[in-house]
Amino acid sequence: MNSNAYKREVAVAAAAEVPEGITLGVGSGSTVDAFIDALAERRIRLTATVAASETSARRLREHGFEVIDLNQADEIPLYVDGADEIDPKLHLTKGGGAALTREKIIASASRRFLCIADDSKLVDRLGHFPLPIEVIPMARSVVARQLVKRGGRPAWRENVVTDNGNLILDVSGLKIADPIAWEKDLNNIPGIVTVGLFALRRADHVLLAGPKGLRRL
Ligand code: 5RP
């Protein structure tokens, strides 16, 4: 099976776990697209959904799900999202789809965060995948210089503007031995909106699909 087939497998398994009648937080990316389709195939009744990207919101609406603003949501019992890298402590790298800011906000506002992925995303240590960082446009160069001082090689993801009107720097070369310390440090650089490290709010559970079948961390 290829990685798309694993994404579909894990998406269907995650959709089967979602309780009816809740407000569901929904992330972004191709695995989440498959998850949204699987929710629709299950004909699940949800009170509402809160989406981490305009793309996910559109897909949810196309399937007939109500999408509400986070400000209208009382409580989000469950958030389901993908990841670019997952370490054994369930710290994540996210932002490959440039939706990291809204993803992090909804993840932080949710009681439970279920991460779904094909098992190629599991790594011993975060940092092989260039770390996405959302930056205020006027701060692109000053933030890039700060990242170089920390050993990173930032690359501007040209032609990408986030749903919040900001830019993305993809940073290679970082040795992320302590993701929590890195997240705290990078959060303090003026001009950075969101760091694609999800360590302070990591996943509560990870569901993976791969050649050995489904497994849960
Ligand atoms: C988007 C994300 C995605 O969850 C991440 O990039 C994984 O995407 P995919 O499911 O397409 O592999 O963080 O900002």
Side-chain angles (χ1 to χ4, degrees):
M1 278 212 281
N2 62 24
S3 86
N4 282 340
Y6 294 135
K7 285 178 184 189
R8 162 92 188 144
E9 186 182 359
V10 77
V12 169
E17 289 189 9
V18 176
E20 292 211 272
I22 64 163
T23 296
L24 177 67
V26 178
S28 190
S30 57
T31 316
V32 166
D33 284 348
F35 170 69
I36 294 170
D37 295 348
L39 286 172
E41 282 158 25
R42 209 193 120 184
R43 296 177 189 278
I44 186 172
R45 277 196 310 270
L46 297 170
T47 304
T49 62
V50 178
S53 69
E54 299 300 333
T55 308
S56 293
R58 207 174 312 119
R59 199 174 191 99
L60 285 161
R61 287 198 185 97
E62 279 166 7
H63 281 303
F65 293 109
E66 186 183 358
V67 181
I68 60 171
D69 191 272
L70 181 59
N71 292 307
Q72 295 172 276
D74 286 340
E75 185 180 68
I76 304 176
L78 177 63
Y79 176 62
V80 179
D81 199 356
D84 298 304
E85 282 185 332
I86 303 161
D87 82 5
K89 291 185 175 166
L90 313 193
H91 302 134
L92 314 173
T93 301
K94 290 185 48 53
L100 63 165
T101 295
R102 297 186 187 193
E103 290 171 346
K104 194 175 274 195
I105 293 169
I106 303 173
S108 311
S110 300
R111 212 178 318 136
R112 206 157 62 85
F113 176 5
L114 171 63
C115 178
I116 55 174
D118 71 87
D119 73 1
S120 69
K121 305 286 183 75
L122 192 60
V123 295
D124 288 340
R125 191 157 99 170
L126 303 182
H128 302 286
F129 188 89
L131 179 65
I133 297 185
E134 181 164 348
V135 176
I136 298 283
M138 70 169 284
R140 177 170 54 86
S141 298
V142 289
V143 168
R145 285 197 284 276
Q146 289 294 328
L147 295 166
V148 169
K149 276 190 196 161
R150 288 162 173 78
R153 292 188 304 277
W156 176 18
R157 205 185 293 178
E158 289 189 62
N159 304 320
V160 170
V161 177
T162 69
D163 285 345
N164 315 303
N166 297 315
L167 306 177
I168 299 287
L169 294 176
D170 292 303
V171 191
S172 321
L174 297 176
K175 296 195 172 48
I176 306 177
D178 182 346
I180 291 180
W182 271 98
E183 187 176 358
K184 285 182 179 165
D185 174 44
L186 297 175
N187 278 344
N188 278 329
I189 299 177
I192 287 184
V193 177
T194 303
V195 177
L197 284 171
F198 284 52
L200 294 164
R201 204 298 176 234
R202 59 181 186 163
D204 297 306
H205 314 271
V206 173
L207 199 53
L208 295 171
K212 292 184 197 146
L214 282 169
R215 65 188 155 131
R216 184 180 292 272
L217 307 179

